[in-house]
Amino acid sequence: MESSLLQDTEACTGPTGAGTNPQPALSHTAGCFYDAIPFPVVLTHADGVILQANAAAGRHAAQPAGRLHGQSAHTVFHDRTLSIRDCPVCSRMVDTATDTHDNLEIRLGRTVLEFSLTPLAGVREEAVYVQVVRDVTQNRRLNHLYEMLSATNRAIIHSQTAETLMNAVFEALVTSRTYTLLFMARTDTGDLPMQIIREHGIDPALLPRLALNLGTPDSVFGQAFPRLAEERLICFPVAAADDAWTQYLLRKGITNRTVLSVLCNGKVCGAIGLYADHPEAFDAAEMRLLHEMAEDITFALNGMQAEERHQAIRAQADLSDLRFREVFESSPTPMHIMSTLTGENLAVNPAIRAWLGYTLEEIRTVEACFERVYANPEMARSVWTLWQQDIATISATGTSVRSPELTLRCKDGSLRIARATMTLVGTDAIIAWDDLTEIRRSASALQESEQRFRGMIEQTITGIFVHRDGRYVYVNPRYCSMLGRNAGELTGEDFQTFTPLSPDSSPTLSSLAHGELLTVHCHHRDGRLIELGLKSGPILWDGQPATIVMAEDITERTRMEQQNARYLQQLETSMQGTLLALSNMVELRDPYTAGHERRVSLIAGAIGRHLGWDEPRCRELEMIGLIHDIGKIAVPSELLTRPRRLNDIEMDLIREHAHTGFEILRDIPFNAPVAEVVYQHHERMDGSGYPRGLKGDDILPAARVIAVADVLESMASHRPYRPALGVDAALAELEGGRGVIYDAGVVDALLEMVRHQGYCLPD
């Protein structure tokens, strides 16, 4: 072969031979054989100059094979971005010592070419090489895919949780470098939207756009989502569209995309999006591998979930068993476990040992149990029959059963009265005992106590009745006397029959069941309407729950309270009249400020109400406002009416009115600190006021309100030494001193009232 090719080469490059020269025939034969090779094949000098090329080489180079003669194989077939010295094929030919067959790879973009380099030694003086070129791009890509599938399978084998599995699969996909962009998303509902949990190669600024596509039903992904559960693998090309995500893909050169579904128990729980920028991506072979990967991941996740459920069930069973053992051992209720197959006791808890005094070994067998616990042979037989019936009933209905009361004998010989509750668990019966001994022993004592109690309430001077569901079940003589009726008229009747309330009125006896105190009106037999105060509590009456009610006739007391309230109202009215008279006395001495104290009183009350103070407190404010300048009685009237600004000495005399007012009022027993508020109404929050220079929290809240109301009324009204400045000037002064001179909350309340609620100063 080498000889024929060499001869063919010589025929092509040497002088034309004689007609009898066999070279043309040989050349033709070698050329036909050469062209039959499907891979590009070229013969080159060691310097890479092409001596001969077959037809496949011409097709690969996109020019006739004959034209390749004399061209550089490096320029035509190799990576031209590399120098000849750096080219893996050319550098190997330069090494004349190399006489081995080599397979070398060169990457041209996404294309991988394999060069089979073979020297033809000894056929020419200079070295000649045969270069066979094969495009192994698809093989390498499939190898990557198989490696990726293998890595996925390794991840499935070694991953213990779904999270570690999906992370390992993601890393395998990234490591394979097969896909330009990829993402992983999950859904906990089996439906849209899906949340991105991992991504590779995607511009962070475009992630919100991708998230929108994964959550919108009418997006390309959203329209394909319903098919994911069935098809597992959906491939669709990237077509031109207006949305930002598709435009981003087109700018990246992405031409194809595929979505793998991840299923859990038949529902889509995740998806893997793969994006490729070459047209060969997602061919049939690749799609088969990806489908296999999706199936493997789904199988692994389902297996993990099944194992998790199994582990959870086992853990729950172990926990339930542990809890039962803890409850069984620590329960104060006597309990034992008996086998329904043999009748033997399998376990007894500490409570039953303490109760009856027997150990498990002492009452393990049926015979030992009956001999010790049930000494009476007839009782032993009846108990055994009872157990058999209970077991049959429980097996048929699946419910627990309770025994009648039984008499048990303790180890110390004492007797206990008890009832048993039996529950079946498999073939074991769990029997819990209720000790009724003390209850039964105290039953007679309880009856005697009830008789004594009834005798006591029959003789008490307090009205008492017992009701159940709103009807009298017992009334004592005193209660009958209160209503002027006898027990026969009341017992069994509805309580509301004797009240002027309709059945749906409130308060009613339903409140009494909760122990509340009620005041109700009832009809006396003689037609009078009496008022009763009722106080209740729960009671067992004739062995059933009921409510006992203590009744007190408060008719006279209520009348006295109402009379006292009227007296108090009269006193308050008199007090206000007195204060108004004092206020008028002050104004008589200062006719220029007539009505000042009354207006300050009304303004202060309005501010207090806006601040949310209760009505009694607001009335106290108004009362203080009426007399806040009462100390001016001691100020010479010529100072009060002087039509010019006062000098310092005169101002000092005026300022004494706060202290004088305090001295006048200090010994009068008001309900509020009236004297102290009058004393403080010229104090300021920063300590700049008078007479004591108080500041901050040392100033009473009422004094702060009076101070603001006083400033507003004073500035807005006429004075002997100046005309009225107006409401706006007064508000500006208060707003300017807010939080410094005047209380911020009080100023804010006044501003809100005037500016937003239309409050007007009183006349």
Side-chain angles (χ1 to χ4, degrees), residues 142-153:
L142 289 177
N143 286 342
H144 280 303
L145 292 174
Y146 280 116
E147 289 171 3
M148 183 175 66
L149 182 61
S150 177
T152 302
N153 290 333

Side-chain angles (χ1 to χ4, degrees), residues 138-139 144 183 293 506 633 712 732 737 753-754 760:
Q138 180 68 0
N139 291 342
H144 280 303
F183 70 84
M293 178 188 296
S506 178
I633 288 176
L712 174 65
M753 290 163 54
V754 175
C760 297

Side-chain angles (χ1 to χ4, degrees), residues 667-737:
D667 296 325
I668 300 176
F670 293 104
N671 290 330
V674 175
E676 186 62 32
V677 174
V678 169
Y679 202 2
Q680 295 181 9
H681 78 278
H682 278 294
E683 300 289 354
R684 297 295 182 254
M685 299 300 291
D686 61 353
S688 62
Y690 65 86
R692 289 178 287 177
L694 301 180
K695 64 170 63 175
D697 292 339
D698 293 334
I699 304 173
L700 295 174
R704 303 179 197 179
V705 174
I706 295 292
V708 170
D710 191 21
V711 170
L712 174 65
E713 202 287 327
S714 297
M715 293 185 66
S717 302
H718 179 75
R719 286 292 179 266
Y721 53 86
R722 61 155 174 82
L725 299 177
V727 174
D728 291 339
L731 293 179
E733 159 65 20
L734 292 169
E735 192 169 18

Side-chain angles (χ1 to χ4, degrees), residues 57-256:
R59 289 192 298 272
H60 180 88
Q63 54 182 297
R67 289 187 184 176
L68 295 178
H69 175 69
Q71 295 187 43
S72 168
H74 180 73
T75 302
V76 176
F77 296 102
H78 303 166
D79 185 357
R80 285 177 288 180
T81 63
L82 298 176
S83 65
I84 291 177
R85 181 173 298 278
D86 294 329
C87 174
V89 179
C90 295
S91 61
R92 187 61 59 93
M93 289 190 299
V94 171
D95 185 2
T96 55
T98 300
D99 58 359
T100 59
H101 178 87
D102 289 311
N103 289 329
L104 306 171
E105 283 190 4
I106 292 179
R107 285 185 175 272
L108 300 176
R110 291 191 172 275
T111 303
V112 181
L113 299 179
E114 182 183 78
F115 288 82
S116 179
L117 185 64
T118 304
L120 297 179
V123 296
R124 290 176 66 99
E125 293 181 0
E126 68 276 14
V128 175
Y129 289 86
V130 177
Q131 296 185 35
V132 180
V133 184
R134 289 189 301 164
D135 187 341
V136 295
T137 306
Q138 180 68 0
N139 291 342
R140 294 296 181 267
R141 191 168 64 84
L142 289 177
N143 286 342
H144 280 303
L145 292 174
Y146 280 116
E147 289 171 3
M148 183 175 66
L149 182 61
S150 177
T152 302
N153 290 333
R154 287 195 299 273
I156 291 172
I157 294 172
H158 294 99
S159 297
Q160 300 297 318
T161 66
E163 183 178 0
T164 57
L165 170 61
M166 297 309 294
N167 285 335
V169 169
F170 183 83
E171 294 302 328
L173 290 169
V174 172
T175 303
S176 72
R177 295 184 298 180
T178 305
Y179 305 107
T180 308
L181 310 175
L182 61 97
F183 70 84
M184 268 189 182
R186 63 173 294 173
T187 173
D188 295 326
T189 63
D191 202 349
L192 297 176
M194 301 194 80
Q195 290 79 41
I196 302 169
I197 55 175
R198 298 290 300 273
E199 58 80 22
H200 171 72
I202 300 174
D203 185 347
L206 270 295
L207 286 176
R209 296 293 184 177
L210 173 58
L212 184 64
N213 283 345
L214 297 181
T216 306
D218 54 0
S219 67
V220 174
F221 179 84
Q223 293 173 5
F225 184 84
R227 297 159 46 202
L228 282 177
E230 259 187 52
E231 299 183 25
R232 303 290 181 88
L233 198 67
I234 300 176
C235 180
F236 38 92
V238 178
D242 293 335
D243 65 284
W245 174 247
T246 302
Q247 292 176 3
Y248 168 70
L249 296 179
L250 293 173
R251 288 196 303 272
K252 295 284 288 184
I254 303 299
T255 55
N256 287 294

Side-chain angles (χ1 to χ4, degrees), residues 494-514:
D494 192 309
F495 171 78
Q496 289 187 332
T497 302
F498 305 96
T499 69
L501 301 172
S502 60
D504 58 348
S505 295
S506 178
T508 65
L509 280 182
S510 62
S511 300
L512 290 177
H514 300 89

